[in-house]
Amino acid sequence: MHSDPITSAQLRVFLVPHGISADSFCGLAQDCVAMCVQSLVSASTAISARRTTVDGQLFLIKHLLILREQTAPFNVEFAVKETSLDFSNYKDAAIGLWIQRGTGLFSLNRGNTLLRLLLETPHVIETEVDSRRQLDVQLKVTCEAFIEDTVKRLSGELPEFLVKTDLVLSAPGARLEDQAFAHPGAVRDLVSNAHRILCTALGRVTKSHTASDPPETGSDTARPVSLWHALHTYLANPDTEAILLRRIRNGVLAYWRTLYQLVLSQYNEEDRMIIACPTESQVRYDLNGLKMNTH
């Protein structure tokens, strides 16, 4: 089912009289698409506020894809040139006149602000507005935001931990072992929690997380399964889902790869055994089941 703004825009375009000129039709189509995109963005914001950010993002992605598909059959340019007048030069001349008041207002030279004010003309500005390009930009921005948020959500506290370690190691002579947050025991807990979040998203249960454990609450990371269910429910398009999932898998894998290299370079063998960080190949094996478990 299409969103009301899309249906409304379609009706307006299809019901345009056949006698209308091509330029007028292009302008009407551009306005319809632009207002439709704006309405969808507003609806997405409202959904995010009432439900979750994921719901709002997936709603917007789905309907922007529908809108792009529905506008494709129209062999017209969704770009128009808008003309406006810039009166800023009048403002500058008026300010100069106020400053110069009473001194040389009637002198015939270039410094006479009164003469300048009388002879000034507004600047004509032409701008091209392309609603189809705006649609594509909005779609790309929303997809990138969804991918970034999802990668961070599935990575637990790894992103924040890696940022902290970068700050520490950027100082000359700094050592991670001197930092409480980077103690092997603390890193072990961080790795365990992050891996549990990832495995839960894949529909698996780790040894450190059994059915007797209390459920996590208070964040979207506690409900990764519903996230993937929402992905298929909203999009229901294998090609689009595959594109998003590939980017998400690569993003999650990048965090784990960076963490493993950090552990390998900053901790001794005994500490590495305590941390028990999975290798890149192990995480990649887990992520290979991501698509299969989303349907």
Side-chain angles (χ1 to χ4, degrees), residues 45-52:
T45 302
I47 292 173
S48 297
R50 297 180 61 180
R51 301 191 66 178
T52 67

Side-chain angles (χ1 to χ4, degrees), residues 95-268:
I95 293 175
L97 180 62
W98 173 259
I99 296 175
Q100 196 186 26
R101 64 188 185 280
T103 58
L105 288 180
F106 299 100
S107 59
L108 299 178
N109 55 51
R110 293 184 178 180
N112 189 329
T113 53
L114 178 60
L115 184 62
R116 178 185 169 191
L117 180 64
L118 294 175
L119 298 179
E120 281 288 1
T121 57
H123 298 299
V124 179
I125 300 177
E126 287 189 352
T127 56
E128 185 178 77
V129 181
D130 190 336
S131 58
R132 180 171 286 173
R133 185 183 305 167
Q134 292 175 346
L135 189 159
D136 290 337
V137 169
Q138 183 65 58
L139 179 60
K140 180 179 179 180
V141 169
T142 307
C143 288
E144 292 293 338
F146 171 73
I147 292 169
E148 181 179 357
D149 292 347
T150 303
V151 168
K152 290 183 178 180
R153 189 175 297 112
L154 294 182
S155 301
E157 298 179 0
L158 294 187
E160 292 81 0
F161 174 78
L162 293 174
V163 170
K164 289 182 180 179
T165 57
D166 285 343
L167 291 175
V168 172
L169 295 176
S170 63
R175 300 186 306 174
L176 281 182
E177 59 187 26
D178 297 332
Q179 306 296 322
F181 76 91
H183 187 272
V187 180
R188 176 197 59 202
D189 294 339
L190 179 142
V191 168
S192 177
N193 291 335
H195 192 248
R196 182 179 69 242
I197 290 173
L198 180 60
C199 288
T200 304
L202 300 174
R204 303 170 184 172
V205 179
T206 61
K207 294 181 180 180
S208 60
H209 184 62
T210 62
S212 60
D213 293 334
E216 300 176 17
T217 58
S219 69
D220 287 337
T221 58
R223 302 183 299 276
V225 174
S226 63
L227 167 68
W228 301 124
H229 176 71
L231 181 67
H232 183 57
T233 300
Y234 275 100
L235 301 181
N237 186 313
D239 293 335
T240 304
E241 292 176 44
I243 294 173
L244 294 175
L245 288 174
R246 182 169 60 251
R247 293 282 306 279
I248 291 171
R249 285 197 297 269
N250 292 340
V252 173
L253 185 62
Y255 279 125
W256 283 100
R257 182 190 303 118
T258 303
L259 177 66
Y260 184 78
Q261 293 172 349
L262 178 71
V263 171
L264 199 62
S265 62
Q266 297 295 323
Y267 295 89
N268 57 41

Side-chain angles (χ1 to χ4, degrees), residues 13-22 25:
V13 174
F14 280 121
L15 294 178
V16 171
H18 295 290
I20 193 172
S21 66
F25 179 79

